[in-house]
């Protein structure tokens, strides 16, 4: 069942997904991370009734052109975004005009994002895998206090507790890496354009619905990415692991 939490005043509006990945998002040990194409993401978002979606691939804007063209066909709002790997952790720039360089400091990354008129979101700031920006979340424009991928729940609880204490704008994200994950957590905003989405976020006019990812969905995603990454996975195993020596 969906649970709705409100940041700021109660909001009536449309549903938006702020955290999704296409096949342009790559992993390290397992090469394939995001599964769908940008076109598939946009069409699926439209099909499930979302008003808009951000594709925030890791350190690349490669999805933007294809996604933008498909969004025009579908009549849906596409929010050009990136999940940028700063030296302190991951930050999403929502509503970007151009790519943001990775591996800068957290504050410098935020300055570059804001310089484009976009919004800085501290995503999964207390991720147990330490991919979030933690103490720097206080400097972000908004905090992702619910990430559907964080099934351990600890990181989400810590993020929400800190965000409420600091009076931060709170949002949710599915962190979708497959079509079936899109819309698991949504933000409710009264907006009809990217500019209106950005304005609403800056003024805290957002509420959100949250659900954790189903275990079956996660298992299927892991299976499919391993199958598609098989050559790279085997090369990594052969390079780093060796069988027992003969007696």
């Amino acid at each position: 069942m969906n649970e709705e939490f409100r940041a700021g005043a109660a909001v009536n509006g449309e549903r938006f997904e702020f955290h999704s990945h296409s096949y342009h998002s790559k992993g390290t040990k397992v090469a394939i991370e995001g599964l769908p194409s940008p076109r598939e993401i946009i069409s699926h978002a439209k099909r499930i009734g979302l008003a808009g979606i951000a594709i925030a691939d890791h350190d690349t804007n490669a999805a933007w052109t294809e996604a933008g063209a498909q969004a025009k066909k579908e009549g849906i709002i596409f929010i050009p975004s990136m999940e940028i790997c700063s030296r302190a952790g991951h930050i999403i720039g929502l509503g970007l005009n151009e790519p943001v360089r990775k591996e800068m400091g957290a504050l410098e990354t935020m300055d570059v994002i804001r310089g484009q008129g976009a919004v800085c979101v501290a995503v999964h700031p207390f991720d147990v895998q330490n991919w979030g920006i933690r103490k720097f979340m206080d400097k972000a424009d908004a905090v992702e206090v619910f990430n559907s991928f964080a099934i351990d729940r600890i990181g989400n609880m810590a993020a929400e507790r800190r965000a409420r204490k600091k009076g931060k704008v709170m949002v949710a994200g599915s962190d979708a890496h497959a079509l079936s994950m899109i819309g698991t957590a949504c933000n409710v905003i009264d907006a009809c354009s990217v500019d209106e989405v950005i304005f609403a976020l800056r003024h805290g006019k957002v509420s959100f619905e949250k659900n954790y990812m189903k275990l079956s969905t996660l298992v299927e995603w892991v299976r499919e990415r391993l199958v598609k990454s098989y050559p790279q996975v085997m090369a990594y195993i052969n390079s780093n692991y060796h069988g027992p020596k003969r007696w």
Side-chain angles (χ1 to χ4, degrees):
M1 183 174 70
N2 281 353
E3 296 179 72
E4 187 171 334
F5 289 78
R6 305 193 183 280
V11 176
N12 293 314
E14 303 290 344
R15 297 167 70 241
F16 290 82
E17 170 70 82
F18 286 162
H19 196 162
S20 71
H21 295 272
S22 78
Y23 57 32
H24 292 295
S25 279
K26 305 300 183 182
T28 51
K29 297 179 180 67
V30 182
I32 304 300
E33 185 166 303
L35 299 179
S37 71
R39 184 178 294 108
E40 289 172 332
I41 291 172
I42 297 298
S43 294
H44 185 74
K46 176 68 173 182
R47 188 160 53 247
I48 64 174
L50 297 183
I53 187 166
I55 298 179
D57 285 319
H58 294 292
D59 300 317
T60 179
N61 67 333
W64 291 5
T65 299
E66 182 181 327
Q70 188 65 26
K72 288 182 179 178
K73 292 180 182 178
E74 300 279 2
I76 188 172
I77 299 170
F78 168 60
I79 307 169
S81 305
M82 283 175 61
E83 185 168 0
I84 303 132
C85 185
S86 76
R87 290 198 298 270
H90 294 184
I91 302 168
I92 281 185
L94 276 177
L96 294 168
N97 299 309
E98 57 188 49
V100 177
R101 183 165 53 90
K102 65 179 180 179
E103 295 180 357
M104 296 186 289
L107 299 183
E108 184 181 1
T109 301
M110 292 182 198
D111 285 343
V112 173
I113 291 169
R114 293 190 184 107
Q116 298 186 33
V119 167
C120 311
V121 182
V123 290
H124 45 71
F126 292 97
D127 184 345
V128 294
Q129 292 178 292
N130 206 29
W131 289 336
I133 60 174
R134 294 183 178 262
K135 63 181 181 180
F136 290 104
M137 65 157 270
D138 297 350
K139 304 297 184 181
D141 301 314
V143 178
E144 184 186 73
V145 299
F146 187 87
N147 181 294
S148 295
F149 234 99
I151 56 175
D152 58 86
R153 309 194 178 207
I154 297 170
N156 285 342
M157 290 188 289
E160 183 174 345
R161 182 167 60 247
R162 174 102 179 167
R164 289 189 181 279
K165 180 179 179 180
K166 296 295 181 177
K168 303 299 293 183
V169 175
M170 298 186 293
V171 299
S174 301
D175 207 349
H177 289 69
L179 292 181
S180 57
M181 298 176 177
I182 294 171
T184 305
C186 286
N187 301 276
V188 181
I189 298 176
D190 184 9
C192 297
S193 68
V194 174
D195 287 345
E196 290 183 2
V197 170
I198 299 303
F199 179 87
L201 286 174
R202 284 186 177 141
H203 292 82
K205 296 181 178 180
V206 56
S207 60
F208 61 85
E209 303 167 351
K210 67 179 190 178
N211 277 302
Y212 281 101
M213 212 74 72
K214 293 180 180 178
L215 181 58
S216 58
T217 300
L218 289 172
V219 169
E220 178 58 25
W221 169 69
V222 170
R223 186 199 68 79
E224 189 169 350
R225 71 182 295 227
L226 284 172
V227 168
K228 290 185 174 182
S229 303
Y230 182 79
Q232 295 89 347
V233 171
M234 292 308 300
Y236 180 86
I237 291 173
N238 290 333
S239 297
N240 293 276
Y241 298 95
H242 305 282
K245 295 180 179 180
R246 296 180 64 179
W247 290 94

